[in-house]
Amino acid sequence: MAPKDKKAAASAGGDGAAKKAGKVAKAVKGSVARKQRKVRTNVHFFRPKTLIKKRDPKYPRRSVESRERMDKYRIIQCPVTTESAMKKIEEINTLVFLVDIKATKLNIKEAVKQMYDVKCAKVNTLIRPDGKKKAYVHLTQDYDALDVANRIGII
């Protein structure tokens, strides 16, 4: 449908076109900002440091707590009752035990303290040719190895 007179047609279409032309003129006048590329002075790329959150699990990954596999009864297997072991008990205040192969000197010290209520001064260990570990437990001067041996039932 054609407009009835030219003035009405010009005013109806010209109003929207003027606004559009103004926007285009603004855009053309303003410079287009190009992003400047950062000059890299190092050949190594370091990942940017981002936020590291503390772990906050919603449920436990294991249903049951793990128990200690090396308890005092597994560490100390048995006392040695040979003549040389008896000589050490009497003369140099030392008890001799066969212990677990994986037991450390600190483990042995703790196990002797818990089982026999004595304080150890020093623990020496060796692995015998048959593959068993032997521990020489030197007691402090407060405790007598002969009394402890009697209590255990060695003598």
Side-chain angles (χ1 to χ4, degrees):
M1 184 168 172
K4 293 187 177 165
D5 75 316
K6 288 183 180 181
K7 279 187 181 177
S11 67
D15 197 24
K19 281 184 183 176
K20 200 172 186 181
K23 280 186 184 177
V24 170
K26 251 187 197 174
V28 169
K29 281 180 190 170
S31 63
V32 176
R34 280 236 160 86
K35 189 177 176 187
Q36 201 64 10
R37 181 170 277 181
K38 184 178 178 238
V39 177
R40 298 196 59 80
T41 57
N42 193 350
V43 295
H44 300 286
F45 177 77
F46 293 103
R47 187 178 52 79
K49 303 283 188 284
T50 56
L51 178 68
I52 299 169
K53 288 187 173 180
K54 198 174 179 185
R55 285 186 174 189
D56 185 25
K58 302 297 178 233
Y59 65 93
R61 295 295 185 260
R62 285 197 178 96
S63 60
V64 181
E65 287 289 319
S66 62
R67 66 176 180 83
E68 187 68 37
R69 282 174 173 57
M70 290 286 277
D71 62 338
K72 59 187 176 182
Y73 301 108
R74 176 156 173 213
I75 291 168
I76 296 176
Q77 292 170 348
C78 63
V80 178
T81 56
T82 58
E83 277 186 44
S84 60
M86 291 302 148
K87 193 174 179 186
K88 288 195 184 311
I89 289 171
E90 292 164 7
E91 291 177 7
I92 55 174
N93 204 30
T94 301
L95 294 169
V96 186
F97 296 102
L98 285 182
V99 294
D100 191 90
I101 196 79
K102 290 182 181 143
T104 62
K105 290 182 180 186
L106 283 172
N107 289 351
I108 295 164
K109 203 171 186 176
E110 284 296 313
V112 169
K113 187 178 180 183
Q114 288 173 4
M115 286 178 80
Y116 306 118
D117 302 317
V118 292
K119 199 169 185 184
C120 306
K122 183 171 145 185
V123 176
N124 287 339
T125 59
L126 64 88
I127 296 176
R128 303 192 317 187
D130 65 352
K132 293 179 180 174
K133 187 181 261 191
K134 186 160 58 169
Y136 296 98
V137 180
H138 299 273
L139 303 181
T140 56
Q141 292 178 349
D142 306 339
Y143 301 98
D144 187 32
L146 207 56
D147 294 341
V148 178
N150 281 330
R151 213 172 0 139
I152 296 170
I154 300 172
I155 299 171

